[in-house]
Amino acid sequence: ESRRIEKAERERKLEEQQVLEQQQKAEVDRIIAEIKLRPQGLRKETLQPHGEHAQDFLSVKDRTEKYVQASHGSLTVLRIEKVINYELEGRFLEAKRQLHSGIINCNMQQLFHGTGKEGVEGIPRTGFRLPPQSEDNMFGRGIYFATDSSKSAQHMYTKGSIPLFS
């Protein structure tokens, strides 16, 4: 009797998970359709520590200044710009929707990426792209991200320009 109850409970939980997954996919589909109606190109806004974007500003500032390794030196946030590219956002959601792990169970993280002036201009327009093979690639050909803002802010990644993507 207890095995039958356990089996029924597992089936109920699986069914709930499938319903939730379908709801999430429908929500992503709705967002993708909405994104396709938005103007193309970049939308930039400077976040301020007060007003309607204060929570976003303080969250990014806190994460950036909190995740500093002493061996990398100090880091101070001077300005935060939010850059939105609706086309890239739509492509990201399409890819997320097709994950085998499902939309709900995907492991998304906010990481840091240091780049030079060229990257600051190009990444928001076209997304990240694999660099050519080089002896300078620490772990081989790839796009590198770090959990510590101070790692990504090092001169070797930013080429002296100090911008970070988060």
Side-chain angles (χ1 to χ4, degrees), residues 8-162:
E9 182 65 20
R10 280 193 309 271
E11 288 174 355
R12 185 187 64 75
K13 286 183 179 181
L14 180 60
E15 190 175 299
E16 285 177 1
Q17 180 74 18
Q18 289 171 340
V19 167
L20 190 56
E21 186 75 23
Q22 287 302 321
Q23 289 172 342
Q24 289 288 319
K25 284 185 177 184
E27 177 66 9
V28 167
D29 287 344
R30 184 193 66 72
I31 293 169
I32 290 170
E34 185 180 297
I35 286 172
K36 289 178 180 178
L37 298 174
R38 293 181 181 168
Q40 296 300 306
L42 299 179
R43 190 179 116 224
K44 293 183 182 183
E45 55 188 77
T46 300
L47 301 184
Q48 302 294 332
H50 46 77
E52 72 176 295
H53 298 294
Q55 186 174 356
D56 289 342
F57 177 91
L58 295 172
S59 173
V60 171
K61 180 177 172 40
D62 181 58
R63 266 189 349 97
T64 304
E65 292 179 350
K66 180 180 177 181
Y67 292 102
V68 173
Q69 294 294 323
S71 61
H72 296 153
S74 65
L75 197 63
T76 303
V77 172
L78 301 176
R79 186 177 78 218
I80 300 173
E81 284 187 341
K82 183 176 185 175
V83 182
I84 299 171
N85 179 326
Y86 292 117
E87 180 186 349
L88 291 179
E89 189 175 336
R91 287 178 21 206
F92 167 75
L93 289 171
E94 287 282 357
K96 183 179 173 185
R97 188 179 185 282
Q98 295 176 23
L99 291 173
H100 292 291
S101 63
I103 293 172
I104 297 168
N105 295 322
C106 70
N107 181 12
M108 287 185 29
Q109 299 180 26
Q110 287 190 327
L111 301 171
F112 295 97
H113 178 75
T115 188
K117 195 170 191 140
E118 183 180 299
V120 169
E121 296 300 319
I123 293 169
R125 293 188 193 295
T126 60
F128 290 96
R129 58 183 166 77
L130 283 173
Q133 184 63 38
S134 167
E135 293 298 317
D136 293 339
N137 300 132
M138 188 178 294
F139 300 108
R141 189 169 179 236
I143 302 167
Y144 299 100
F145 297 89
T147 54
D148 297 323
S149 58
S150 56
K151 177 73 172 172
S152 293
Q154 291 180 332
H155 185 275
M156 66 189 294
Y157 304 116
T158 63
K159 297 153 188 83
S161 63
I162 312 292

